[in-house]
Structure formats: structure tokens, C-alpha cells
């Protein structure tokens, strides 16, 4: 009879232990779900601290709690980011909270003052380190609103957009730079991602230039193809300079083939020996482009192999077909024509 009771008692203890183990695993899963970079503002709130604190009510060895919480948070974060330091940072903060709450709860049974002190100090330290390394939820909300207002202007939704739909991640904090960030991608180029960051009220958009390079490719290829057919033996390179963005136009949400009048290109021609030869070649290239391409905002022709200067001719679209006044200029090789034009208009002419 006593053996039966002993066996039944052991079974009950084993069952309780298994239940506590499962509940701890579930709690760790919920904590990892909330405490990861992609959780955005949720990761910055004390919610994960509360989940770590709840672990004190589960009767399981502290070592196993730390293993379950630490491994789960680490796996969730490494799955979503290639930056191992981010996963280690989130894991360390989680383990600190689990240790502080459990050690404080254990000390509470012996000394109420000591236990409360450990729990309070642990909670405050965890929360403070969370703000430093994960982000301030109040500041993040303000940053999110500013970035959203910006993205709604630059990347509005459009059914016929050449770049498809734009997707933006939850906002997160980069403690290395002190900036709040969202990662952006396009449904047409899902693997081509870049960041939009807000630091000191200044938005830095690395995604816009990336998407401009993608959306300009068909136009550059078309101009190159037209010129190559007309001048098969010439050495030239057509490159994208910028888009002219007129009021009310959303360049990156434009339909395919709709940006001919917005694109500015640079055409570098090799083998030009003199300024007169440069002018003649530009006239020939312009006639072909004007005849076979649908438009452009401006074309900049460059030639020469000088270390400091290049020959340059810039032509906008506002000229009669086959008639253009070619004006030869010389520009510094280390700057763009757009910059040189700005310097000339803003400083020299004024």
C-alpha cells in the first residue's frame, strides 16, 4: 500500500514538473515573440519584463528557466537578423530580467526588504538598459509618425506602379547610431532592402536611391540600345544621374514607361579628341535620341580623359527636333553636372 502511495506521489510530482516545464516554455515563447527587433514598439515596452517576472511563479530550477528563455529569445532574433550582436543583446537583457526577478523572489522568502530591493533594482536596471539598447517607446511612436508621414509622400500606393507595393518593417532602434529605423522593400525586388532612419529630426533615406536605380534601368537600357544600333563602333556609357520630381509627382509609384520626361542621364563618350569633335558627336547622338526615344528631362554628354576636368554638354528637352544650341563646358571630374550647375547659378551668376 505504501509503495502504491509512493509511486502515485512520484507520478504526481513528475506530472507537476512536466506542467511547469511546459508552462515555462510557453512563457519563454511569448517573451521571445514580444522581445525581438521586428516586434517594434512592443519590444520597447515593459511587456517582456512582466513575462520574465511571471516565471517566478513556476516551480522549475532557475538554470532551466534561463536556458529556456535565453535560447528561445536568441533563436527568434537570429532568425530575423543577420546581426548576431543584436540577438546577443536581446538575450542578455532577457536573462538579466529572469535572474533578477527569480533571485529577488527567492530572497523575499527570507528577507522581505532584501527581496524587494533585488526585484526593484533588477526591474529598474532592465528597463533602463532596455531604453538604452532597445529604444524608448514614447520616442519611437513620435519617430514612427514622422517616418510614416514621409513614406506616405515618397512611396504612395499605386495599382500600376512599376516597383509594385512597398513594404515597411516595424520601427526599431539602432543604439550604435541613436536613430530609429524602418527597413523598406518592394514587392518587385523583395531581396533589395534598405533603411529609412530618423535621427535628430533628420530623415535619411537609403531606400529611395536604391529604388531609383531599379526603376531607371529600362530607360537606360532603351537609350543605350538606340545609340548602340546607330553607332555600333562607338565607345560610350549611359548612366543614370537623377529624376526630376515635379510638384505632385510620386516618382517611385509611377507606372512603367511613365518617367521619360523625368529622367536625367549622363552619356560618357570615349575617343573624342577636341571640343569641336565633341560638339559634332553630341549633335549626332541627340538627333538619334530625339527621333527614337520618348523623352528625357536632360542629357549630359561628357568626354575627355583629363585628370581634373572633363568636356561637358548639357541639353534639356526644350528644343525643336534636330535643332539645339550646343554649349561646351568644362567640369571638375570629381563632381556631378547637377552640383556644378548649382554652384554656377547660386554663386557665380548671383
Amino acid at each position: 500500500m505504501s509503495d502504491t502511495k509512493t509511486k502515485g506521489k512520484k507520478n504526481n510530482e513528475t506530472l507537476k514538473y512536466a506542467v511547469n516545464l511546459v508552462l515555462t516554455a510557453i512563457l519563454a515563447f511569448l517573451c521571445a515573440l514580444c522581445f525581438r527587433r521586428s516586434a517594434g514598439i512592443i519590444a520597447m515596452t515593459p511587456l517582456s519584463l512582466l513575462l520574465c517576472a511571471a516565471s517566478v511563479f513556476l516551480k522549475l530550477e532557475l538554470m532551466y528557466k534561463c536556458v529556456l528563455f535565453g535560447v528561445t529569445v536568441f533563436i527568434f532574433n537570429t532568425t530575423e537578423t543577420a546581426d548576431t550582436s543584436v540577438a546577443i543583446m536581446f538575450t542578455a537583457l532577457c536573462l538579466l530580467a529572469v535572474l533578477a526577478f527569480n533571485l529577488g523572489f527567492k530572497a523575499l522568502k527570507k528577507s522581505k526588504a532584501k527581496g524587494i530591493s533585488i526585484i526593484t533594482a533588477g526591474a529598474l536596471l532592465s528597463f533602463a538598459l532596455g531604453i538604452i539598447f532597445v529604444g524608448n517607446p514614447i520616442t519611437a511612436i513620435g519617430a514612427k509618425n514622422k517616418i510614416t508621414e514621409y513614406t506616405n509622400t515618397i512611396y504612395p500606393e499605386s495599382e500600376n506602379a512599376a516597383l509594385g507595393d512597398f513594404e515597411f518593417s516595424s520601427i526599431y532602434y539602432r543604439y550604435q547610431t541613436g536613430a530609429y529605423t524602418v527597413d523598406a522593400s518592394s514587392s518587385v525586388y523583395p531581396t533589395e532592402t534598405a533603411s529609412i532612419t530618423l535621427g535628430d529630426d533628420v530623415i535619411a533615406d537609403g531606400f529611395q536611391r536604391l529604388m531609383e536605380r531599379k526603376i531607371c534601368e529600362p530607360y537606360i537600357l532603351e537609350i543605350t540600345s538606340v545609340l548602340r544600333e546607330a553607332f555600333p563602333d562607338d565607345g560610350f556609357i549611359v548612366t543614370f544621374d537623377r529624376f526630376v520630381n515635379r510638384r505632385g509627382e510620386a516618382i517611385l509609384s509611377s507606372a512603367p514607361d511613365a518617367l521619360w520626361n523625368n529622367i536625367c542621364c549622363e552619356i560618357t563618350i570615349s575617343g573624342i579628341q577636341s571640343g569641336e569633335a565633341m560638339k559634332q558627336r553630341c549633335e549626332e547622338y541627340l538627333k538619334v535620341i530625339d527621333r527614337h526615344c520618348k523623352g528625357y528631362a536632360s542629357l549630359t554628354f561628357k568626354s575627355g580623359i583629363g585628370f581634373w576636368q572633363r568636356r561637358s554638354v548639357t541639353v534639356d528637352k526644350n528644343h525643336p527636333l534636330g535643332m539645339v544650341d550646343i554649349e561646351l563646358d568644362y567640369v571638375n571630374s570629381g563632381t556631378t553636372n547637377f552640383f556644378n550647375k548649382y554652384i554656377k547659378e547660386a554663386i557665380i551668376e548671383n
Side-chain angles (χ1 to χ4, degrees):
M1 189 73 176
S2 59
D3 290 341
T4 304
K5 288 182 178 180
T6 302
K7 187 176 181 180
K9 186 177 181 181
K10 287 183 177 179
N11 290 336
N12 287 335
E13 290 177 353
T14 302
L15 180 61
K16 288 179 181 178
Y17 188 86
V19 170
N20 279 280
L21 184 63
V22 171
L23 290 175
T24 303
I26 293 173
L27 203 59
F29 175 83
L30 293 175
C31 181
L33 202 63
C34 298
F35 200 54
R36 56 198 170 99
R37 174 176 272 189
S38 63
I41 295 174
I42 293 176
M44 305 175 196
T45 66
L47 180 58
S48 58
L49 284 179
L50 296 176
L51 293 171
C52 290
S55 67
V56 303
F57 300 107
L58 298 175
K59 295 181 179 180
L60 191 69
E61 290 87 342
L62 179 56
M63 180 183 71
Y64 294 147
K65 291 180 181 179
C66 289
V67 170
L68 286 171
F69 274 82
V71 170
T72 309
V73 170
F74 184 80
I75 289 174
F76 269 58
N77 280 278
T78 50
T79 301
E80 296 179 349
T81 177
D83 190 349
T84 307
S85 64
V86 172
I88 292 174
M89 183 255 306
F90 274 86
T91 303
L93 291 174
C94 175
L95 289 176
L96 173 63
V98 172
L99 285 169
F101 285 121
N102 279 272
L103 291 175
F105 187 76
K106 186 178 180 180
L108 196 64
K109 297 177 181 178
K110 298 179 180 180
S111 172
K112 188 174 182 180
K114 184 179 179 180
I116 292 175
S117 298
I118 294 174
I119 291 173
T120 303
L124 291 175
L125 180 61
S126 298
F127 186 68
L129 290 175
I131 289 178
I132 293 172
F133 292 105
V134 181
N136 185 326
I138 305 299
T139 308
I141 291 173
K144 180 184 178 182
N145 291 337
K146 290 181 180 179
I147 292 176
T148 300
E149 182 180 355
Y150 169 81
T151 55
N152 286 342
T153 301
I154 304 299
Y155 309 97
E157 294 182 3
S158 177
E159 293 183 2
N160 300 317
L163 294 173
D165 297 324
F166 297 109
E167 297 179 0
F168 303 96
S169 71
S170 299
I171 193 167
Y172 63 89
Y173 182 67
R174 284 182 175 168
Y175 65 90
Q176 300 96 329
T177 58
Y180 287 90
T181 305
V182 298
D183 294 326
S185 63
S186 159
S187 60
V188 177
Y189 302 100
T191 60
E192 301 284 345
T193 62
S195 299
I196 302 172
T197 62
L198 175 68
D200 297 328
D201 291 327
V202 176
I203 292 179
D205 189 351
F207 185 62
Q208 182 177 8
R209 189 62 179 174
L210 174 63
M211 290 295 101
E212 283 181 345
R213 287 200 299 269
K214 292 297 182 182
I215 202 172
C216 81
E217 287 177 357
Y219 304 93
I220 299 299
L221 289 173
E222 178 70 16
I223 295 173
T224 301
S225 177
V226 166
L227 290 176
R228 180 58 61 199
E229 185 176 352
F231 308 99
D233 298 324
D234 279 16
F236 62 85
I237 300 175
V238 183
T239 57
F240 169 70
D241 182 18
R242 61 193 173 92
F243 280 116
V244 174
N245 190 357
R246 298 174 179 84
R247 182 177 295 180
E249 288 183 322
I251 294 294
L252 297 179
S253 294
S254 299
D257 215 33
L259 295 174
W260 279 106
N261 292 325
N262 300 82
I263 193 167
C264 300
C265 301
E266 286 191 358
I267 303 174
T268 303
I269 311 171
S270 61
I272 303 295
Q273 302 300 322
S274 66
E276 287 302 317
M278 173 70 170
K279 290 183 179 181
Q280 182 180 352
R281 212 61 175 148
C282 289
E283 289 179 357
E284 294 171 354
Y285 275 47
L286 276 171
K287 287 178 182 179
V288 171
I289 294 173
D290 287 342
R291 188 178 301 115
H292 297 286
C293 293
K294 298 177 182 178
Y296 51 85
S298 72
L299 298 174
T300 298
F301 298 89
K302 289 184 177 181
S303 70
I305 57 174
F307 186 78
W308 297 109
Q309 288 187 323
R310 299 283 190 273
R311 302 185 197 92
S312 175
V313 173
T314 299
V315 180
D316 63 33
K317 65 176 181 179
N318 298 315
H319 63 267
L321 184 64
M323 297 176 61
V324 61
D325 184 19
I326 300 294
E327 183 179 345
L328 185 64
D329 195 8
Y330 291 87
V331 299
N332 293 331
S333 59
T335 58
T336 66
N337 265 66
F338 181 60
F339 178 76
N340 290 318
K341 183 179 179 182
Y342 168 78
I343 293 295
K344 183 178 179 181
E345 292 177 353
I347 299 177
I348 299 175
E349 294 182 358
N350 293 336

